[in-house]
């Protein structure tokens, strides 16, 4: 079996370095679709990205640092989509807000899977300065969301915390059903739960 040729070890220009980092993230993401996180190694990522292992470590010190970057990318994309949709629709009622959240939460399984890892693995094992930077960026982005919702900022924060918890629970239930060979029965329940949470938080 032939082994893909490795790329040149050093990316020199800013564009090459950016592309190399993107290649690593995409390689990790491809592997993660079929390999559980605990079984995935940096060696596998390096091979998938056609890089020497030492080159991989020029960009990410640990697997946790790599997956925190992947989570940041997915969460940033969703928050930007959410902000854009809020600008378009200007929701005024709790049901309006629920509609926007549901519309922007489709096809987000990679993000939900990464959120499951956040509290259990990534926050504990990634470099503290990277975790702090991640939290600061997410706080800035969520503040932008809060400005576009018809609720007080503290209500919006509670709502996003509930959405986080709902998404993690939904993902874990979905994975359990998938391992049992059962079609996902939870999508409608998620929609109902999200609407109920938005209404309850808005009235609190």
């Amino acid at each position: 079996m032939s082994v893909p040729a490795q790329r040149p070890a050093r990316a020199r220009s800013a564009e090459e370095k950016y592309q190399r980092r993107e290649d690593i993230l995409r390689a990790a993401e491809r592997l993660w679709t079929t390999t559980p996180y605990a079984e995935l190694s940096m060696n596998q990522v390096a091979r998938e990205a056609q890089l020497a292992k030492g080159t991989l470590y020029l960009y990410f010190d640990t697997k946790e640092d790599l997956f925190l970057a992947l989570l940041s990318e997915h969460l940033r994309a969703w928050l930007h989509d959410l902000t854009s949709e809020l600008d378009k629709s200007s929701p005024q009622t709790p049901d309006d807000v629920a509609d926007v959240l549901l519309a922007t939460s489709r096809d987000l399984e990679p993000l939900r899977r990464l959120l499951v890892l956040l509290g259990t693995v990534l926050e504990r094992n990634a470099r503290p300065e990277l975790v702090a930077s991640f939290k600061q960026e997410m706080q800035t982005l969520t503040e932008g969301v809060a400005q576009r919702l018809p609720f007080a900022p503290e209500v919006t924060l509670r709502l996003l915390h509930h959405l986080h918890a709902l998404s993690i629970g939904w993902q874990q239930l979905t994975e359990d059903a998938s391992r049992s060979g059962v079609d996902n029965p939870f999508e409608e329940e998620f929609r109902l739960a999200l609407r109920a949470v938005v209404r309850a938080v808005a009235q609190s």
Side-chain angles (χ1 to χ4, degrees):
M1 179 178 176
S2 62
V3 177
Q6 291 180 350
R7 302 175 186 181
R10 186 171 296 277
R12 299 189 180 279
S13 69
E15 291 80 4
E16 288 174 338
K17 291 176 181 177
Y18 172 82
Q19 188 58 55
R20 183 65 53 82
R21 188 176 187 275
E22 283 294 300
D23 291 344
I24 293 168
L25 289 169
R26 300 288 74 77
E29 197 163 39
R30 286 193 300 273
L31 289 169
W32 196 43
T33 61
T34 57
T35 307
Y37 177 83
E39 298 175 14
L40 186 60
S41 71
M42 293 290 269
N43 276 335
Q44 290 172 292
V45 175
R47 285 197 298 271
E48 180 70 18
Q50 300 179 29
L51 296 172
K53 187 177 179 181
T55 303
L56 176 62
Y57 282 109
L58 293 174
Y59 293 85
F60 299 101
D61 287 349
T62 66
K63 184 172 69 169
E64 288 77 20
D65 290 356
L66 169 54
F67 273 80
L68 184 64
L70 200 56
L71 169 59
S72 179
E73 179 183 83
H74 279 273
L75 196 51
R76 187 186 306 119
W78 174 67
L79 287 169
H80 279 305
D81 286 346
L82 177 57
T83 299
S84 177
E85 191 60 33
L86 289 170
D87 284 338
K88 292 177 186 176
S89 59
S90 299
Q92 300 300 313
T93 68
D95 281 347
D96 291 342
V97 172
D99 287 340
V100 174
L101 289 172
L102 288 168
T104 58
S105 296
R106 297 191 185 102
D107 303 319
L108 290 181
E109 183 177 356
L111 173 57
R112 295 195 303 269
R113 292 180 67 208
L114 287 162
L115 286 172
V116 171
L117 292 176
L118 178 61
T120 57
V121 176
L122 303 183
E123 283 188 325
R124 298 178 184 181
N125 298 311
R127 282 189 292 155
E129 63 269 26
L130 294 181
V131 174
S133 177
F134 166 79
K135 289 182 176 180
Q136 181 59 53
E137 181 185 13
M138 293 308 115
Q139 180 179 341
T140 300
L141 291 172
T142 53
E143 286 171 355
V145 170
Q147 293 170 5
R148 292 164 170 82
L149 290 177
F151 310 134
E154 62 272 15
V155 173
T156 296
L157 183 60
R158 286 186 60 212
L159 177 58
L160 291 175
H161 285 164
H162 279 289
L163 180 60
H164 181 192
L166 274 175
S167 298
I168 290 174
W170 184 31
Q171 182 60 32
Q172 291 173 328
L173 288 170
T174 300
E175 290 177 0
D176 289 343
S178 178
R179 283 192 290 268
S180 302
V182 178
D183 290 337
N184 178 14
F186 303 110
E187 188 164 352
E188 180 59 26
E189 283 77 2
F190 177 78
R191 286 196 290 267
L192 293 172
L194 179 59
R195 288 192 183 281
V197 164
V198 174
R199 290 168 184 164
V201 171
Q203 293 170 2
S204 62

